Amino acid sequence: MAHSDTGSDTGGDIGDARGNTRGNTRGNTRGNTRGDARGDARGDRSGTALRPPGDPAGPAPGKSRPHERATERTGTRTRTRTTSRIRTRARSPRLWTWLLLPGTLWMTGFLLASLLLVATLALGTTDPLGNPRFGFNPDNLTALADPAYRTVLLRSLGYALITCLICLVVAYPVAYAIALRGGRFKNLLIAAIVVPFFANYLVRMYGWSVVLSDDGPLLRALRSVGIADDGTKILQTGAGVIAGLVYGFVVFMIIPLYAAMERMDTSLIEAGRDLYGGPLRTFLFVTVPATRQGAAAGCVLVFLPAMGDFVSAQLMGGPDQIMIGNLIQDKFFQGQNWPLGSALTMLLMAVLFLGMLGYLRRARKDEAEAIR
């Protein structure tokens, strides 16, 4: 009996061991199978970016996973937007061209018509009553070589150049202070400079002639401090004419310089100061070269009207200070010699055209250097 009991116990233990082994094997197999299946499913949902090319677990040829299809749709939308932007930019120049066309044709048509009329009249004659008659009379062009006309032309050219130089010296500090030190008061300061020039030019010149007159406030102040005496005059002199021209056109120099300094990178000034340059040297070698395009534009805007101005010379000058604009006015309205006045007008426009051509060539050269 003892032997049989021992055998039965041994058989039971062996049976329990086999059962546990089979259970553990089945459990591990099922767990591994389920884990692998879940891992593969999660990997498919999250993407296969980390799998190397040619992975057998990748998608079948001709098929793509959801995230790849989303990427393709996003790329398609991006390409579509880029193409639409390029097309919009391509259409924009055409739009602006069409918008500029009416005004350009209007101005060009009247300019060419007036130039043709003046050029044709410059070769004309006058009848005994002083009325202009079209024809061919080259004497009007040869008369321009008269020393008196040449003197007036050179005087006008000198006054215009001096006016440009003085306006440049006056406008640079003003534009510098407003653009770089104006802060929130920039617009107010620009308005304070520009608004007074909305008044009529003739009215402003009359007011300036009163200020510069012999009994005006300026000469009285100079006499009180002993700088001027009773014989000092400003009117009827070249200085008075230039003072009137500077007062009339200095705003045309301030605005372009202010715009150029607004666009200038202020770090250039800081770099100039860091290189042990004083304020004057920094201004001359950093600020002036960086704003030369604005200075050139201001010089053109001042030179062109100053060259043909006649109001300043008439109100603040004398017979020895007349300019070419005064000669043209006299030939048209007092001398009744319209052909000679037209010839003088063509001479003035030729000088102005040369100045404008020089400015355009300089501006084109600066643009080419900036592109490089």
Side-chain angles (χ1 to χ4, degrees):
M1 287 295 294
H3 178 75
S4 61
D5 292 338
T6 304
S8 62
D9 292 338
T10 304
D13 292 339
I14 295 172
D16 292 338
R18 290 178 179 177
N20 292 333
T21 303
R22 292 177 182 176
N24 292 334
T25 303
R26 291 177 182 177
N28 293 334
T29 303
R30 292 177 182 177
N32 293 333
T33 303
R34 292 178 182 177
D36 293 340
R38 292 177 181 177
D40 292 338
R42 290 177 182 177
D44 291 339
R45 287 195 299 268
S46 61
T48 59
L50 298 179
R51 292 181 179 177
D55 188 4
K63 297 183 180 180
S64 60
R65 293 195 174 95
H67 75 280
E68 294 178 349
R69 291 195 294 271
T71 304
E72 291 178 359
R73 288 195 297 269
T74 304
T76 303
R77 292 176 184 175
T78 303
R79 288 193 296 269
T80 304
R81 292 175 183 176
T82 304
T83 305
S84 63
R85 290 177 182 175
I86 294 175
R87 292 177 180 176
T88 303
R89 292 176 182 176
R91 288 195 298 265
S92 297
R94 297 180 182 179
L95 176 61
W96 288 113
T97 301
W98 284 108
L99 291 177
L100 290 174
L101 188 60
T104 303
L105 293 178
W106 178 270
M107 297 297 296
T108 304
F110 276 97
L111 176 63
L112 294 178
S114 60
L115 285 178
L116 180 62
L117 179 62
V118 172
T120 306
L121 191 57
L123 297 174
T125 58
T126 55
D127 60 12
L129 297 178
N131 297 319
R133 292 290 184 266
F134 292 102
F136 183 76
N137 182 22
D139 294 339
N140 296 323
L141 300 179
T142 57
L144 298 178
D146 190 295
Y149 296 150
R150 186 168 59 249
T151 301
V152 173
L153 178 62
L154 293 177
R155 182 188 299 125
S156 302
L157 183 62
Y159 283 174
L161 292 175
I162 295 173
T163 301
C164 284
L165 181 60
I166 296 176
C167 287
L168 198 62
V169 173
V170 172
Y172 248 118
V174 176
Y176 185 91
I178 296 176
L180 303 181
R181 296 292 183 267
R184 60 178 180 177
F185 299 105
K186 290 181 181 179
N187 296 333
L188 181 61
L189 294 174
I190 288 294
I193 293 174
V194 174
V195 169
F197 286 86
F198 289 167
N200 185 270
Y201 180 72
L202 185 61
V203 174
R204 289 190 284 115
M205 288 299 105
Y206 269 117
W208 192 238
S209 64
V210 172
V211 174
L212 300 179
S213 63
D214 296 342
D215 296 330
L218 179 60
L219 280 179
R220 285 204 303 265
L222 295 178
R223 292 190 188 105
S224 63
V225 296
I227 298 178
D229 53 18
D230 295 337
T232 303
K233 295 175 64 67
I234 297 179
L235 294 182
Q236 309 298 320
T237 62
V241 176
I242 294 174
L245 293 174
V246 171
Y247 171 71
F249 303 117
V250 68
V251 68
F252 298 143
M253 185 70 75
I254 295 176
I255 299 302
L257 284 176
Y258 168 77
M261 291 186 183
E262 274 283 298
R263 296 191 301 267
M264 183 181 65
D265 187 5
T266 56
S267 62
L268 296 176
I269 300 177
E270 297 176 357
R273 292 174 180 174
D274 292 340
L275 294 176
Y276 307 100
L280 181 60
R281 289 178 59 85
T282 302
F283 178 79
L284 294 178
F285 294 100
V286 177
T287 306
V288 172
T291 58
R292 62 183 179 182
Q293 291 186 355
C299 288
V300 171
L301 293 177
V302 171
F303 176 80
L304 296 182
M307 184 71 182
D309 185 78
F310 63 92
V311 176
S312 297
Q314 184 174 354
L315 295 180
M316 285 168 281
D320 296 334
Q321 285 80 37
I322 62 172
M323 301 174 64
I324 190 171
N326 301 101
L327 280 180
I328 295 173
Q329 182 196 27
D330 180 71
K331 299 302 179 183
F332 273 101
F333 296 104
Q334 296 181 8
Q336 291 297 316
N337 193 349
W338 286 28
L340 184 55
S342 299
L344 290 171
T345 302
M346 296 302 296
L347 177 61
L348 175 61
M349 294 194 65
V351 175
L352 298 181
F353 176 77
L354 292 177
M356 191 67 186
L357 183 62
Y359 164 72
L360 293 177
R361 292 186 62 182
R362 183 62 189 178
R364 184 178 301 176
K365 185 177 179 180
D366 292 339
E367 290 179 0
E369 292 179 356
I371 293 175
R372 292 177 186 177

